[in-house]
Amino acid sequence: MYGLALKSWRGLSLSYAPARIRSYSRLRGLPTGKYSDEVEGVEPVVSPYAISAGVVFLGGFSYYIYSQYAESVGRYLPWIGETAPESDAHMSATTEATARNKRLSQLREQMAPRSALSPSEQVRWAWTNPGLYAMGSNEFGLIDPLHPNSDSGAGLKSEIPGLKGKLIRSVAFSRTHAVAVDYEGCVFQWGTGFAGRNIAHEPACTLRDASISEVAASDGFVVLLDKKSRIRLLPARKGSSGTASNVALNFEPRLGWRESVTQLSAGKSHLAATTSAGHVYTCALDCSGNSRYQLGHGPDSDVPPLTMRRIPSPHRFSAAACGDDHTILLTTKGDVLGCGANDFGQLAMGAYSKEKATVRSPTPLRRLWKDGRERPPSMRAERIAAGATSSFVQVRQGNSIQLLAWGCGIDGQLGNGTLTHLQGCAVTVPALSDKQEFDAASQLRQPLGIRSLAAGGGHVVAVCDNHTNVVLDTSGRSVDQEPLFGYDVLVWGRNSSGQCILGRKHRFSKPEYPPPIYSSTNADVSKLTQARLQAAPRQWVPTAQFHHSNTPGLPKKLLVEQVFTVGPDVTAAYLKPCK
């Protein structure tokens, strides 16, 4: 007998045991009791771990064979590759997605602005092509509201549809919605925070008032400032009627005789307005608008929402800038004060401590100056800006101009070449500090400063105040002169969606010169000769040269200037009519 059937304790036949096993066991001196001639009912030893390992091995090997040779397996074993037929709804969704991607590609191609890349062509193109041009994240439809969330995280650059050919007075971006007011006073709102999640739409005119001069945006509201210094609120969310009811804010105390509001700045849930008399009024736009004492009224002050209340201070202020939950103030003497959240050092109070995490009333930023002392008499601050959790100031000392930054710099937005989580003392931005240029008129070196500075959630855009060869000419003939060059533009900070330089995903810890917004139509222009981005200076331009202009009643000539602004992960440029 060469083999006997072995049965488990369940009575099932498992295998056979050759008789030679017994002889093998005897030769080796092993016990043979288990392999007697009468093996009926003997329980074999089968490890459950071995069974599990075998099943896993067979399953993995089968999946590998099928994944590598699926086509061959399906050819010889057709029933393996059979799948359930696609439903009509699924096929319809696939067809619709394909058509949508095709329309999106065509739309991007149509909306992409065209220009040669030389500085002259950039300046001339900006003067004669009104509209709003933006690049960055389209997750919330701020770049292309016709196709929200269509950039796949890679960023997008286009002309905002619906605003083509329009002169823009002011633009503001929040995280999920945006607002712009044009030359006629039409207030346009767009974004998924306005229209609804993933709803294709164009910017909608929700209000028409020719006196509106400036706009700002918080998380829940759009803020409007008109020429009579009235401040009104529009809801960020679109109403059922398609139009929005506006709410006027009251000033406490009221504005003085001939006192007017000169500047607006909005954070996530608070607002600051600077007046011509040197006062700053702040307002909570919801219940969290003073949660970190960012309004500057002290710990014991009860500030009702939606009321503009003056900050009690002996100082006269020339500007105010709002971060997410902090506020910085610039005095006419060149001092800088701040209040609100200081979690990342955005109020320059030095090393972090729990006591310094919140500043309850406007306090001088002493760590802004060298050795943490008071401002030296020879130095004065001239310009301020606030990002979400960072702050910036331009300081002049004699013939030297420096840009200082502090706060959160984890995305490189401090511009000093580091990625710092918390910076409680001011650092210098080397690329925009202690720079000079030769002035041909005076034959002397002149300090090079900043013309405008805009800080977003994690990136910054600066327009330099360098000399240009543009001379104001009321005749409008200077538009056609050659050559032309404008102001240099620098960007730095977070670039996850191409808001600094499209096509490059890494962070910029130092200011960089971005390429022109406009793509080239001149095949003779080599990539080696591509110019850096230029902002068009102020100039009188004949309105007859505006392309695609649909604004009636324009004068024959208009004084315009190109302006750059930012929002959370968005950078935008537009042609602004000057006062």
Side-chain angles (χ1 to χ4, degrees), residues 6-9 14-15 34-35 42-48 50-51:
L6 295 179
K7 294 186 179 180
S8 68
W9 62 277
L14 296 177
S15 60
K34 291 192 97 175
Y35 301 103
V42 174
E43 180 181 353
V45 179
V46 182
S47 172
I51 296 176

CSV table of all heavy atoms in Angstrom, one decimal, residues 6-9 14-15 34-35 42-48 50-51:
chain,number,residue,atom,x,y,z
A,6,LEU,N,-6.3,10.2,4.4
A,6,LEU,CA,-6.3,10.9,5.7
A,6,LEU,C,-7.6,11.7,5.8
A,6,LEU,O,-7.9,12.4,4.8
A,6,LEU,CB,-5.1,11.8,5.9
A,6,LEU,CG,-3.8,11.0,5.9
A,6,LEU,CD1,-2.6,12.0,6.1
A,6,LEU,CD2,-3.7,10.1,7.1
A,7,LYS,N,-8.3,11.7,6.9
A,7,LYS,CA,-9.5,12.4,7.1
A,7,LYS,C,-9.3,13.3,8.3
A,7,LYS,O,-8.7,13.0,9.3
A,7,LYS,CB,-10.7,11.5,7.3
A,7,LYS,CG,-11.0,10.7,6.0
A,7,LYS,CD,-12.3,9.9,6.3
A,7,LYS,CE,-12.6,9.1,5.0
A,7,LYS,NZ,-13.8,8.3,5.2
A,8,SER,N,-9.9,14.5,8.1
A,8,SER,CA,-9.8,15.5,9.2
A,8,SER,C,-10.9,15.1,10.2
A,8,SER,O,-11.7,14.2,10.0
A,8,SER,CB,-10.1,16.9,8.6
A,8,SER,OG,-11.4,17.0,8.2
A,9,TRP,N,-10.9,16.0,11.2
A,9,TRP,CA,-11.9,15.8,12.3
A,9,TRP,C,-13.3,16.0,11.8
A,9,TRP,O,-14.3,15.6,12.4
A,9,TRP,CB,-11.6,16.6,13.5
A,9,TRP,CG,-11.7,18.1,13.2
A,9,TRP,CD1,-10.7,18.9,12.6
A,9,TRP,CD2,-12.8,19.0,13.4
A,9,TRP,NE1,-11.1,20.2,12.5
A,9,TRP,CE2,-12.4,20.3,13.0
A,9,TRP,CE3,-14.1,18.8,13.9
A,9,TRP,CZ2,-13.2,21.4,13.1
A,9,TRP,CZ3,-14.9,19.9,14.0
A,9,TRP,CH2,-14.5,21.2,13.6
A,14,LEU,N,-8.3,14.8,2.9
A,14,LEU,CA,-7.4,16.0,2.7
A,14,LEU,C,-6.2,15.6,1.8
A,14,LEU,O,-5.9,16.3,0.9
A,14,LEU,CB,-6.8,16.5,4.0
A,14,LEU,CG,-7.9,17.0,5.0
A,14,LEU,CD1,-7.2,17.4,6.3
A,14,LEU,CD2,-8.6,18.2,4.4
A,15,SER,N,-5.6,14.4,2.0
A,15,SER,CA,-4.4,14.1,1.2
A,15,SER,C,-4.1,12.6,1.4
A,15,SER,O,-4.9,11.9,2.0
A,15,SER,CB,-3.2,14.9,1.7
A,15,SER,OG,-3.0,14.7,3.1
A,34,LYS,N,1.7,8.2,14.9
A,34,LYS,CA,0.7,8.9,14.2
A,34,LYS,C,0.5,8.3,12.8
A,34,LYS,O,-0.5,8.6,12.1
A,34,LYS,CB,1.0,10.4,14.0
A,34,LYS,CG,1.0,11.1,15.3
A,34,LYS,CD,1.0,12.6,15.1
A,34,LYS,CE,-0.4,13.2,15.1
A,34,LYS,NZ,-0.4,14.6,15.0
A,35,TYR,N,1.4,7.5,12.3
A,35,TYR,CA,1.3,6.9,11.0
A,35,TYR,C,1.2,5.4,11.1
A,35,TYR,O,1.9,4.6,10.4
A,35,TYR,CB,2.6,7.3,10.2
A,35,TYR,CG,2.8,8.7,10.1
A,35,TYR,CD1,3.8,9.4,10.8
A,35,TYR,CD2,2.0,9.5,9.2
A,35,TYR,CE1,4.0,10.7,10.7
A,35,TYR,CE2,2.2,10.9,9.1
A,35,TYR,CZ,3.2,11.5,9.8
A,35,TYR,OH,3.4,12.8,9.7
A,42,VAL,N,-7.5,9.7,12.2
A,42,VAL,CA,-6.4,10.4,12.7
A,42,VAL,C,-6.4,11.9,12.2
A,42,VAL,O,-6.7,12.1,11.0
A,42,VAL,CB,-5.1,9.8,12.2
A,42,VAL,CG1,-3.9,10.6,12.6
A,42,VAL,CG2,-4.9,8.4,12.7
A,43,GLU,N,-6.2,12.8,13.0
A,43,GLU,CA,-6.3,14.3,12.7
A,43,GLU,C,-5.0,14.8,12.1
A,43,GLU,O,-4.0,14.7,12.8
A,43,GLU,CB,-6.7,15.0,13.9
A,43,GLU,CG,-6.8,16.5,13.7
A,43,GLU,CD,-7.2,17.3,14.9
A,43,GLU,OE1,-7.4,16.6,16.0
A,43,GLU,OE2,-7.1,18.5,14.9
A,44,PRO,N,-5.0,15.2,10.9
A,44,PRO,CA,-3.7,15.8,10.3
A,44,PRO,C,-3.4,17.2,11.0
A,44,PRO,O,-4.3,17.9,11.3
A,44,PRO,CB,-4.0,15.9,8.8
A,44,PRO,CG,-5.5,16.1,8.8
A,44,PRO,CD,-6.1,15.3,9.9
A,45,VAL,N,-2.2,17.5,11.0
A,45,VAL,CA,-1.8,18.8,11.5
A,45,VAL,C,-1.7,19.8,10.4
A,45,VAL,O,-0.7,19.7,9.6
A,45,VAL,CB,-0.4,18.7,12.3
A,45,VAL,CG1,0.0,20.1,12.8
A,45,VAL,CG2,-0.6,17.7,13.4
A,46,VAL,N,-2.6,20.8,10.2
A,46,VAL,CA,-2.6,21.8,9.2
A,46,VAL,C,-2.7,23.2,9.8
A,46,VAL,O,-3.6,23.5,10.5
A,46,VAL,CB,-3.9,21.6,8.2
A,46,VAL,CG1,-3.8,22.7,7.1
A,46,VAL,CG2,-3.9,20.2,7.7
A,47,SER,N,-1.6,24.0,9.6
A,47,SER,CA,-1.5,25.3,10.3
A,47,SER,C,-2.4,26.3,9.6
A,47,SER,O,-2.5,26.4,8.4
A,47,SER,CB,-0.1,25.8,10.2
A,47,SER,OG,0.0,27.1,10.7
A,48,PRO,N,-3.3,27.0,10.4
A,48,PRO,CA,-4.1,28.0,9.8
A,48,PRO,C,-3.3,29.2,9.2
A,48,PRO,O,-3.8,29.8,8.3
A,48,PRO,CB,-5.0,28.5,11.0
A,48,PRO,CG,-4.2,28.1,12.2
A,48,PRO,CD,-3.5,26.9,11.9
A,50,ALA,N,-0.5,28.9,7.6
A,50,ALA,CA,-0.1,28.4,6.2
A,50,ALA,C,-1.2,28.6,5.2
A,50,ALA,O,-1.0,29.0,4.1
A,50,ALA,CB,0.4,27.0,6.3
A,51,ILE,N,-2.4,28.2,5.7
A,51,ILE,CA,-3.6,28.4,4.7
A,51,ILE,C,-3.8,29.8,4.4
A,51,ILE,O,-4.0,30.2,3.2
A,51,ILE,CB,-4.8,27.8,5.4
A,51,ILE,CG1,-4.7,26.3,5.6
A,51,ILE,CG2,-6.1,28.1,4.6
A,51,ILE,CD1,-5.8,25.7,6.4
